Amino acid sequence: MLRPNLLLRAEEDRKPMANPPDTTKERQQETETPVSPLFGSCPIPIFEHKQIVLGHGSGGKLTADLIDKIFLPAFRNPVLDKLDDQAVVSIGGARVAFTTDSFVVTPIFFPGGDIGRLAVHGTVNDLAMSGAQPMYLSAAFILEEGLPVDDLRRIVESMRAMAAEAGVQFITGDTKVVDRGKGDQIFINTTGIGIIPDGVNISADRARPGDAILLSGYLGDHGMAIMSQREGLEFEGAIESDCASLHTLVAAMLAAPTATPDFIHCLRDPTRGGAATTLNEIAKRANVGMHLNERAIPVRESVRGACEVLGLDPLYVANEGKLLAVVRADMADAVLAQMRAHPLGRDAAIIGEVVPEHPGMVLMKTEIGGTRVLDVMFGEQLPRIC
Amino acid sequence: MLRPNLLLRAEEDRKPMANPPDTTKERQQETETPVSPLFGSCPIPIFEHKQIVLGHGSGGKLTADLIDKIFLPAFRNPVLDKLDDQAVVSIGGARVAFTTDSFVVTPIFFPGGDIGRLAVHGTVNDLAMSGAQPMYLSAAFILEEGLPVDDLRRIVESMRAMAAEAGVQFITGDTKVVDRGKGDQIFINTTGIGIIPDGVNISADRARPGDAILLSGYLGDHGMAIMSQREGLEFEGAIESDCASLHTLVAAMLAAPTATPDFIHCLRDPTRGGAATTLNEIAKRANVGMHLNERAIPVRESVRGACEVLGLDPLYVANEGKLLAVVRADMADAVLAQMRAHPLGRDAAIIGEVVPEHPGMVLMKTEIGGTRVLDVMFGEQLPRIC
């Protein structure tokens, strides 16, 4: 599967990737705080934008600013303040997980998936990251006038198949249509409800020094699949999105044999902003440090090569079928064994540990023996990746 | 408040409304089944569109076709098949109502409200129409690059204020940003969870011959407020959106004194497609006929006049703060009294009754003594009204 030699061919009628799309540059110049159009190399942006820029949807620093300065002050409450990927509330005696996501990915069909598939997996995964059994989904479509009905059918069929596979039901929905040029083919919101089993208590603020950090498989597949499709690039060893529903993997992890339960402290799927941003969020929420070992982090050669060519870092590229787990140290090997026995965790690895030093910071020992600080993503690396 | 004389002034630099926007005409000619651009006068459209047209988001016949032919066959299950405005499922012993809506209204600020206000009221009302106490909301934003942050702040502040007023909490959210020209300022999805009290059982299929049909107030205010703003029209007696959260009105109705509970059979808020489309949906679901009395239906003079000038029918114009109730006959007066004692039901009226004849059809005795068949709305009357 891994191919050491990467062949990059830009289609002749498309822009080579050395020049990112011009539109980005033009757009960002219209804002007061210019953000460099170069991928992953933005100068420090401050929030005081007067207009929304693409980076506000990156899942990184600018998104956090928008949430901290606009949304949280208005909507603040103890459930929302936890800033997990799902809210947990008590309903009728059950602990219910509740999460929402709008999907605006472009292109809407890509190697390994489509926007409909993503809309099911994304929300199922946000539920699963609380340990919940996903139960019910809503689907709300914003269609652009002129969308081919055949495309819609294909997307709906994906959603049907993925929901059936994940064992969730769509029980309510909504459809809006916007004028041509006021949308982009199709946007899908899915919102989900799941039930958290007794004894499970997973939240970003529960990471503790000594905990092990586990990753379920190769990083960066989804982002690079979208990127290659979007820019018309072909890589040897075609890169496919990893998008998948992870709740059965989580159930397998929770089933690791132990005398003392509650050994999974945090779970997150590293989507927008990638693994580096996700780990930073956990480190900040729990006020702990993290040490990663670059050598232990699984990245396919094809993805690594493509990232090198495009000037991207796999640690910041979005995934749609991977999870990061912070696990009590004594249970790390048992959880790892459970993961590796599951089809979606075959390539799982222990990639680092939680430490008491430098709280809120993630450090990585690089392959060549140095130490690198991994910060949250600034600006926008790959817009509209999900 | 009512002004018998209506003054209509089209701003000079805008198209007079006798000619609807040209774009509609151009767009619809691109589809295989041409839909007349004249408001409310579309010829019979068949579903076999190859592309999505604005009418698929109307809430009328085309929306129903899209649901019946694309969404239901894929997602079919007993909860979804009820086609109520909310799903009802049992969670941890509680009956939980679950509903989703995306809001794409344009303009985003209008007399009497804004898109944020609408996004709270719309979802609270869909919950309330099951008799549920609304509890929790999610908010998912799709922002267009370039949206002024001040506009976003204003909308978020509206959402905060309306949620506080309605006693609901935003507990989870999502933000995406799309490139300039791939969205339209801001789209908001809100999805809500509510708890249905014991003994309450409200669903469109429960209308029975003999039941009374009640309406909570004046029809058409929201649609005409949007229309006047969008087209730059000024009417004497400014028309404001009626948008409001109706759950306290529903609670008041359910509190009507009775020895035998379960007297409210159906509740619906007549949004897209208006009261006529909503009543048709109930008539079809319950397989009953309906007789309405036009004289009894409250429509403000200003709205009636504006509708006449624009060639619209108030019975098909969207409302965002009104409800229709189908109530057991012996309780109609008691429920009406409860409604009139509530600020949002002051102008409530009994507007008709459910009959065994002509199942699935709604007939109206007109003011001049004739009988008119009210069908569901065809095509699109007012695009992007919510």
Side-chain angles (χ1 to χ4, degrees):
Chain A
M1 295 296 288
L2 300 183
R3 310 206 178 190
N5 296 317
L6 172 90
L7 190 75
L8 173 70
R9 284 184 278 132
E11 286 179 9
E12 309 238 307
D13 59 343
R14 307 237 188 176
K15 286 181 205 73
M17 276 315 301
N19 298 323
D22 289 350
T23 48
T24 312
K25 192 179 288 179
E26 288 162 16
R27 273 186 240 118
Q28 286 170 341
Q29 283 173 347
E30 290 165 22
T31 66
E32 308 74 58
T33 310
V35 176
S36 160
L38 293 176
F39 296 106
S41 65
C42 303
I44 301 135
I46 51 168
F47 178 73
E48 290 310 328
H49 287 79
K50 290 208 172 111
Q51 295 187 327
I52 294 297
V53 299
L54 278 176
H56 286 127
S58 66
K61 184 78 176 66
L62 285 178
T63 305
D65 274 5
L66 189 64
I67 291 171
D68 289 347
K69 294 182 181 159
I70 308 275
F71 295 126
L72 269 191
F75 300 144
R76 176 143 273 154
N77 61 61
V79 181
L80 186 65
D81 289 356
K82 283 183 86 86
L83 290 180
D84 278 322
D85 283 345
Q86 69 296 118
V88 178
V89 291
S90 179
I91 294 180
R95 277 194 306 151
V96 172
F98 182 48
T99 188
T100 191
D101 248 325
S102 289
F103 296 85
V104 300
V105 64
T106 179
I108 57 176
F109 301 102
F110 49 81
D114 59 52
I115 189 171
R117 215 178 146 114
L118 210 56
V120 175
H121 295 317
T123 292
V124 164
N125 289 347
D126 280 346
L127 293 173
M129 294 308 118
S130 67
Q133 173 66 35
M135 305 283 286
Y136 302 113
L137 299 184
S138 63
F141 298 87
I142 299 176
L143 309 178
E144 185 190 7
E145 195 187 11
L147 174 72
V149 169
D150 283 347
D151 286 355
L152 179 61
R153 279 187 205 275
R154 207 174 137 194
I155 290 164
V156 166
E157 169 51 26
S158 270
M159 294 173 76
R160 185 204 62 73
M162 292 306 107
E165 198 181 294
V168 294
Q169 287 187 318
F170 284 102
I171 56 171
T172 192
D174 178 54
T175 309
K176 295 294 193 306
V177 180
V178 296
D179 342 32
R180 208 181 281 269
K182 299 296 186 183
D184 195 8
Q185 301 181 274
I186 178 169
F187 301 145
I188 304 176
N189 176 282
T190 50
T191 301
I193 294 177
I195 310 273
I196 301 175
D198 287 342
V200 174
N201 182 11
I202 298 171
S203 179
D205 57 11
R206 299 202 60 233
R208 294 287 173 271
D211 287 351
I213 302 169
L214 282 71
L215 169 64
S216 67
Y218 291 99
L219 284 187
D221 297 5
H222 176 72
M224 297 320 294
I226 295 283
M227 203 60 197
S228 62
Q229 173 82 353
R230 198 184 287 173
E231 301 300 334
L233 304 175
E234 283 177 33
F235 301 100
E236 195 176 341
I239 302 171
E240 290 207 342
S241 169
D242 58 351
C243 72
S245 285
L246 296 168
H247 59 301
T248 58
L249 175 62
V250 174
M253 293 164 66
L254 286 168
T258 175
T260 47
D262 190 18
F263 50 86
I264 299 184
H265 292 164
C266 322
L267 283 179
R268 279 279 173 104
D269 55 335
T271 57
R272 286 183 294 176
T277 304
T278 299
L279 290 173
N280 265 280
E281 286 169 6
I282 296 175
K284 285 174 179 58
R285 283 292 303 164
N287 203 33
V288 293
M290 290 186 179
H291 282 170
L292 304 185
N293 177 4
E294 185 170 24
R295 234 180 245 283
I297 298 175
V299 180
R300 293 182 204 285
E301 281 306 312
S302 55
V303 168
R304 189 186 303 279
C307 278
E308 266 169 28
V309 170
L310 300 177
L312 297 170
D313 183 336
L315 283 162
Y316 290 89
V317 173
N319 312 277
E320 291 290 344
K322 298 291 153 34
L323 62 79
L324 286 158
V326 176
V327 174
R328 214 173 60 203
D330 66 299
M331 285 297 291
D333 289 333
V335 172
L336 184 66
Q338 292 287 104
M339 292 170 84
R340 288 192 169 161
H342 189 284
L344 294 172
R346 265 194 315 256
D347 306 301
I350 297 175
I351 63 165
E353 64 172 332
V354 178
V355 297
E357 297 88 32
H358 50 81
M361 280 180 73
V362 179
L363 300 190
M364 182 169 76
K365 196 170 148 204
T366 64
E367 291 193 8
I368 54 169
T371 297
R372 177 181 161 202
V373 176
L374 291 183
D375 204 346
V376 298
M377 191 168 74
F378 281 109
E380 180 62 278
Q381 196 178 55
L382 298 173
R384 297 181 61 189
I385 204 74
C386 64
Chain B
M1 294 294 287
L2 301 183
R3 309 208 179 192
N5 296 316
L6 170 90
L7 189 75
L8 173 70
R9 283 184 281 131
E11 286 179 9
E12 308 239 306
D13 59 342
R14 307 237 187 176
K15 288 183 206 75
M17 278 311 302
N19 298 323
D22 289 350
T23 48
T24 311
K25 194 179 288 178
E26 287 162 17
R27 273 186 241 117
Q28 286 169 343
Q29 282 171 351
E30 289 165 21
T31 67
E32 310 73 55
T33 311
V35 176
S36 160
L38 294 175
F39 294 108
S41 65
C42 305
I44 301 134
I46 51 170
F47 178 70
E48 289 311 326
H49 287 80
K50 290 208 173 109
Q51 296 187 326
I52 295 296
V53 299
L54 278 177
H56 287 126
S58 66
K61 183 78 177 65
L62 286 177
T63 305
D65 274 5
L66 189 66
I67 293 171
D68 289 347
K69 293 179 183 162
I70 308 275
F71 295 125
L72 270 190
F75 300 144
R76 178 142 272 154
N77 63 58
V79 181
L80 186 65
D81 289 358
K82 285 184 87 88
L83 291 179
D84 278 322
D85 285 345
Q86 68 298 117
V88 178
V89 290
S90 180
I91 295 178
R95 279 194 305 151
V96 172
F98 183 48
T99 189
T100 190
D101 250 324
S102 290
F103 295 85
V104 299
V105 67
T106 178
I108 57 176
F109 300 101
F110 49 81
D114 59 52
I115 189 170
R117 214 179 146 114
L118 210 55
V120 175
H121 294 318
T123 291
V124 164
N125 288 346
D126 281 346
L127 293 173
M129 295 307 119
S130 67
Q133 174 66 36
M135 305 281 289
Y136 303 114
L137 299 185
S138 64
F141 298 87
I142 299 176
L143 309 178
E144 186 191 7
E145 194 188 11
L147 174 73
V149 169
D150 283 346
D151 285 356
L152 179 61
R153 278 187 207 274
R154 204 174 139 194
I155 290 163
V156 165
E157 169 52 25
S158 269
M159 294 173 76
R160 186 204 60 73
M162 292 305 108
E165 197 182 294
V168 294
Q169 286 186 320
F170 284 100
I171 57 171
T172 191
D174 177 54
T175 310
K176 297 292 191 307
V177 179
V178 296
D179 342 32
R180 208 179 281 267
K182 300 294 186 185
D184 195 8
Q185 300 180 275
I186 178 168
F187 301 145
I188 305 176
N189 176 282
T190 50
T191 301
I193 292 177
I195 311 272
I196 302 177
D198 287 343
V200 173
N201 182 13
I202 298 170
S203 179
D205 58 11
R206 298 200 63 233
R208 294 288 174 271
D211 286 352
I213 303 169
L214 282 72
L215 169 63
S216 67
Y218 291 99
L219 284 187
D221 297 4
H222 175 71
M224 298 319 295
I226 295 284
M227 203 59 198
S228 62
Q229 175 83 352
R230 197 184 288 172
E231 301 299 332
L233 304 174
E234 283 178 32
F235 301 100
E236 194 176 341
I239 302 172
E240 291 208 340
S241 170
D242 58 350
C243 74
S245 286
L246 295 167
H247 59 300
T248 57
L249 175 61
V250 173
M253 292 164 68
L254 286 167
T258 174
T260 49
D262 190 20
F263 50 86
I264 298 183
H265 293 163
C266 321
L267 282 179
R268 280 279 173 104
D269 56 334
T271 56
R272 288 183 292 176
T277 303
T278 299
L279 290 174
N280 265 279
E281 285 169 6
I282 296 175
K284 283 175 181 56
R285 285 290 304 162
N287 203 34
V288 294
M290 290 185 177
H291 283 170
L292 304 185
N293 178 5
E294 186 170 23
R295 233 181 248 284
I297 299 174
V299 180
R300 294 182 204 282
E301 281 306 311
S302 55
V303 168
R304 189 185 302 278
C307 280
E308 267 170 29
V309 170
L310 300 177
L312 298 170
D313 182 336
L315 283 161
Y316 290 89
V317 173
N319 312 276
E320 292 290 344
K322 298 293 151 38
L323 63 81
L324 285 157
V326 176
V327 173
R328 212 174 63 205
D330 65 299
M331 285 297 292
D333 288 333
V335 172
L336 184 67
Q338 292 287 106
M339 292 171 83
R340 287 192 169 160
H342 189 283
L344 294 172
R346 265 196 314 257
D347 305 301
I350 297 176
I351 64 164
E353 63 172 333
V354 179
V355 297
E357 297 89 34
H358 50 78
M361 281 180 73
V362 179
L363 301 191
M364 182 170 75
K365 197 171 148 201
T366 63
E367 290 194 7
I368 53 167
T371 299
R372 178 181 160 201
V373 176
L374 291 183
D375 204 346
V376 298
M377 191 169 72
F378 283 107
E380 181 61 277
Q381 196 179 54
L382 297 174
R384 299 182 60 190
I385 205 73
C386 64

